[in-house]
Amino acid sequence: MQFGIFTVGDVTPDPTTGRTPTEAERIAAMTTIAEHAEQAGLDVFATGEHHNRPFVPSSPTTLLGYLAGRTSRITLSTSTTLITTNDPVKIAEDYAMLQHLAGGRTDLMLGRGNTAPVYPWFGQDITRSVELTVENYQLLRRLWDEDVVTWSGRFRTPLESFTSTPRPLDGVPPFVWHGSIRTPEVAEIAAYFGDGYFANNIFWPKEHYVRLITLYRERYAHYGHGAPEQAIVGLGGQVFMARNSQDAVREFRPYFDNAPVYGHGPSLEEFTAQTPLTVGTPEQVVEKTLTFQEFFGDYQRQLFLVDHAGLPLKTVLEQIDLLGEEVVPVLRRELEARRPAHVPSDPPTHASRVAARAAAAGSEPVGA
């Protein structure tokens, strides 16, 4: 099973000091966090995509391409690549280039985003977001799967005998996750194509995500990709840890209360009771995270948000060390012990996809 961290890249004042990092400092911190995650033994680093303040990661492939040269093992991914407001031609080319730079250590998560003004900024209509998602992804698949594409649709200019470059590494596109917090149509797209489905699993009670994941699993089986329990599922989560739970709550409360993503709403106690947020000891993080498997079934990727809300870099690195030393080893052992033999333990990697393609080609009749 894969464990890692994801960043939303917010530039938020530290409520305990009043100091706001510069954009340069925040970007540099994100690269340090990614490198430290690899050193701590985590499997994945993922970045969001945002085009509005107070966030800085407007160009995920630039950040991940830089990290590809500074890391050697960790999978580099996104926690949202905007399928609605990015040109699918640019997505095809940018992520194929990233594949080459990272030696295949990359995948991506497509999503609609949750910032309404982004749509007009990029010339799109938010009321057509689902239609944009479907059409853009269908074109993206063709651009990766076919060397020469002739295409016309509703939302961009036609293509005539077009080849996106570079071609995917080893002829195999990056693995795609589809991320959603509320849209059944996204679960349907993921199931239809046999892609992964990632439930944000942060802002809503578990029952909300259970419905979406159950739908995805049922439709994955309907389209003939395998049994429902074999569908590829990823989950988000939020944690803040200290050696005792009282210290964790005391230290994290001012950051929670002022966070741009959920501050000034429910109390910390209400939020931890109603959502997957865990504030406490490493043992409490393990205990609560293990319940995810009980609610959602066996899954393949768990990402934690640990670097938001103005938390100092030193604190974030300490959180990553606790994950790597005390949380992930226990979760990995416990979750794998529960997993049936026929359920995948990991999402598809570049190597496994290349091997599957070679096996499929070898099984084709001569002359096919």
Side-chain angles (χ1 to χ4, degrees):
M1 185 170 171
Q2 291 183 340
F3 293 90
I5 58 173
F6 70 101
T7 181
V8 294
D10 59 308
V11 180
T12 303
D14 183 331
T16 67
T17 66
R19 185 180 184 278
T20 304
T22 66
E23 291 181 332
E25 289 171 334
R26 186 66 173 101
I27 292 168
M30 289 161 62
T31 67
T32 300
I33 288 164
E35 294 174 54
H36 197 77
E38 178 173 82
Q39 295 163 8
L42 302 186
D43 305 305
V44 183
F45 171 81
T47 176
E49 177 185 346
H50 301 277
H51 299 275
N52 56 296
R53 290 180 173 177
F55 306 98
V56 292
S58 58
S59 181
T61 53
T62 302
L63 173 62
L64 298 179
Y66 176 81
L67 290 170
R70 298 181 65 87
T71 58
S72 60
R73 183 192 57 80
I74 199 166
T75 295
L76 303 170
S77 188
T78 58
S79 48
T80 305
T81 296
L82 298 177
I83 187 62
T84 47
T85 51
N86 280 307
D87 182 359
V89 172
K90 198 70 171 74
I91 294 176
E93 295 185 334
D94 282 353
Y95 285 89
M97 175 68 80
L98 178 60
Q99 257 196 318
H100 286 270
L101 291 173
R105 292 185 293 120
T106 188
D107 54 31
L108 71 157
M109 185 199 308
L110 298 176
R112 295 187 303 150
N114 56 13
T115 307
V118 171
Y119 286 82
W121 292 343
F122 288 88
Q124 300 296 351
D125 179 355
I126 193 172
T127 66
R128 295 184 169 181
S129 63
V130 174
E131 299 165 80
L132 277 163
T133 297
V134 173
E135 180 175 297
N136 285 355
Y137 187 55
Q138 289 174 335
L139 175 55
L140 175 61
R141 288 285 298 227
R142 289 192 60 189
L143 291 166
W144 274 338
D145 294 341
E146 302 173 26
D147 284 340
V148 181
V149 174
T150 296
W151 175 91
S152 63
R154 297 175 57 194
F155 300 112
R156 79 170 318 279
T157 53
L159 298 173
E160 181 68 33
S161 300
F162 177 78
T163 299
S164 71
T165 58
R167 303 304 297 145
L169 179 65
D170 300 319
V172 176
F175 182 69
V176 172
W177 302 82
H178 298 263
S180 176
I181 61 173
R182 58 182 174 269
T183 310
E185 291 89 345
V186 172
E188 180 75 17
I189 294 169
Y192 179 82
F193 286 101
D195 296 333
Y197 181 75
F198 191 92
N200 175 281
N201 198 36
I202 289 180
F203 299 112
W204 298 77
K206 61 182 181 299
E207 291 79 10
H208 175 83
Y209 297 107
V210 167
R211 289 192 293 270
L212 288 170
I213 292 171
T214 300
L215 171 64
Y216 162 67
R217 291 187 185 278
E218 292 172 349
R219 301 303 288 170
Y220 182 94
H222 170 79
Y223 290 117
H225 300 298
E229 64 270 21
Q230 293 175 310
I232 305 301
V233 174
L235 297 175
Q238 296 166 281
V239 298
F240 186 86
M241 294 171 281
R243 290 302 174 187
N244 66 70
S245 58
Q246 294 86 355
D247 285 345
V249 170
R250 176 180 53 78
E251 292 171 22
F252 188 62
R253 187 182 301 279
Y255 296 97
F256 175 89
D257 288 345
N258 291 277
V261 291
Y262 47 47
H264 313 290
S267 69
L268 176 58
E269 287 74 15
E270 291 170 332
F271 205 83
T272 53
Q274 297 169 8
T275 77
L277 173 64
T278 310
V279 180
T281 65
E283 293 77 14
Q284 288 174 308
V285 170
V286 168
E287 180 181 5
K288 190 165 185 177
T289 306
L290 286 174
T291 67
F292 296 174
Q293 185 264 354
E294 299 169 10
F295 301 136
F296 306 119
D298 294 295
Y299 62 112
Q300 287 72 34
R301 175 176 286 183
Q302 174 68 59
L303 300 183
F304 295 105
L305 177 62
V306 296
D307 76 325
H308 58 132
L311 287 165
L313 177 59
K314 178 177 180 293
T315 301
V316 174
L317 300 183
E318 291 169 350
Q319 295 293 305
I320 293 172
D321 286 336
L322 288 171
L323 283 174
E325 294 168 6
E326 301 188 31
V327 174
V328 167
V330 180
L331 288 175
R332 200 187 302 276
R333 182 176 65 249
E334 294 293 329
L335 290 172
E336 289 310 310
R338 302 179 182 187
R339 189 185 305 274
H342 70 291
V343 175
S345 59
D346 294 308
T349 63
H350 182 72
S352 69
R353 286 162 65 80
V354 169
R357 177 184 172 127
S363 64
E364 292 177 357
V366 175

